Amino acid sequence: MRILVTGGSGFLGRHLVRQIGDRHDVASPTSGDLDVRDVGGVSRAFAAFEPDAVIHTAYRKPDWDTNVDGSANIARACADSGVRLVHLSTDVVFGDRLAPWTELDRPCPAHDYGRSKAAAEDAVAEFTGAVIVRTSLLYGDRDLAAIQRDVADAIGGRSTMCFFDDELRCPIHADDLARAIVRLVTDLSDVTGPLHVAGPETLTRADLAACFARHLGLDERAVPVANAAELGLDASRPLRVVLDSSQAERLGIVARPIEAALGVAR
């Protein structure tokens, strides 16, 4: 199988390329090699590589052209070529709610990035029977995500970032997400529509930062903690965004708890 990964040099893209390994032919162009906003460039990339499947991870905050128009260009090319598409979306197409969000819930984003990703989902759904994977915060172990480096910088005094004790998400190891995506390309190619693939635990940003600190061998007590509501930030960002991933679990897609994924005790 020939698999094209947009955004292949990004954090998730690198994990995807490693997961695909030598089992399939993979192309992972950088944004410099493939600008998804350029319809002609997308057509040329498809003609040159002739993919059997596309995993679309390319995005840019808060760039509507990349997130929406670029996704539409990829979806149109997949539809025209009869190519399987896995489109990556995010939990923040939803707002703040106590109950977990399911695939049946309508997106209700609270900020511009979430609105652009919700619009991207609509654009993709117009062109092709893609599977739209909504996920949460990503992290890694050998390859660290930006949020993990943020913790090291904050503890080391290289930034003034704080980690909120009232913002809850469902973080997932990038390897677990990448493994699920590859299965959706190869073994579960009949799955379409939205699918939630997130971690099995609901953690605050502060608790997540403490886990990262332990993984990095740093003092978790030095993690700077703040309360987003007390700072008046609850109006501009959703604080509790929990994805219900039970539909993915019924397909055999599971993610590890953070202790198991990072080898840390809480």
Side-chain angles (χ1 to χ4, degrees):
M1 179 176 284
R2 298 170 65 80
I3 302 173
L4 173 65
V5 180
T6 70
S9 61
F11 181 67
L12 176 58
R14 295 193 298 273
H15 284 80
L16 279 164
V17 170
R18 286 197 292 267
Q19 284 285 340
I20 295 168
D22 57 4
R23 292 174 293 164
H24 305 282
D25 292 334
V26 61
S28 55
T30 66
S31 58
D33 297 325
L34 173 58
D35 183 346
V36 296
R37 299 171 298 179
D38 177 6
V39 175
V42 170
S43 296
R44 289 189 293 274
F46 271 65
F49 187 63
E50 297 183 341
D52 300 303
V54 174
I55 302 170
H56 180 47
T57 75
Y59 77 100
R60 185 174 291 143
K61 291 184 179 180
D63 185 345
W64 189 276
D65 291 344
T66 297
N67 296 345
V68 183
D69 298 338
S71 296
N73 291 339
I74 292 293
R76 185 185 297 110
C78 287
D80 290 346
S81 305
V83 168
R84 169 68 163 168
L85 173 60
V86 179
H87 172 79
L88 262 292
S89 191
T90 172
D91 52 2
V92 294
V93 298
F94 297 115
D96 206 341
R97 189 170 87 171
L98 289 177
W101 295 98
T102 75
E103 290 86 352
L104 296 177
D105 290 313
R106 291 179 62 85
C108 50
H111 50 48
D112 286 344
Y113 172 61
R115 283 187 279 272
S116 76
K117 292 296 284 184
E121 290 189 5
D122 290 341
V124 166
E126 282 186 17
F127 288 104
T128 182
V131 58
I132 297 170
V133 175
R134 296 181 184 137
T135 192
S136 189
L137 301 176
L138 302 185
Y139 63 90
D141 52 342
R142 295 165 298 170
D143 191 355
L144 300 182
I147 55 174
Q148 293 170 278
R149 296 193 296 272
D150 288 341
V151 172
D153 288 343
I155 292 175
R158 296 182 293 277
S159 83
T160 58
M161 180 175 288
C162 291
F163 302 89
F164 298 134
D165 59 7
D166 58 341
E167 180 180 353
L168 294 99
R169 308 285 285 280
C170 300
I172 182 171
H173 194 294
D175 271 342
D176 293 343
L177 179 59
R179 190 176 299 112
I181 291 168
V182 174
R183 284 199 64 209
L184 288 165
V185 169
T186 57
D187 303 330
L188 299 169
S189 59
D190 58 337
V191 176
T192 61
L195 183 70
H196 295 176
V197 183
E201 301 164 296
T202 301
L203 299 176
T204 69
R205 287 264 192 175
D207 286 340
L208 183 60
C211 289
F212 292 158
R214 290 195 294 276
H215 175 248
L216 295 170
L218 302 173
D219 184 1
E220 67 183 273
R221 295 169 298 180
V223 171
V225 175
N227 186 276
E230 290 177 358
L231 294 174
L233 299 177
D234 51 326
S236 61
R237 61 193 294 152
L239 295 186
R240 183 182 177 93
V241 186
V242 177
L243 293 182
D244 180 339
S245 297
S246 58
Q247 184 172 320
E249 291 171 7
R250 288 192 290 272
L251 295 171
I253 293 173
V254 294
R256 295 166 290 172
I258 194 167
E259 291 182 8
L262 291 183
V264 297
R266 264 200 279 156

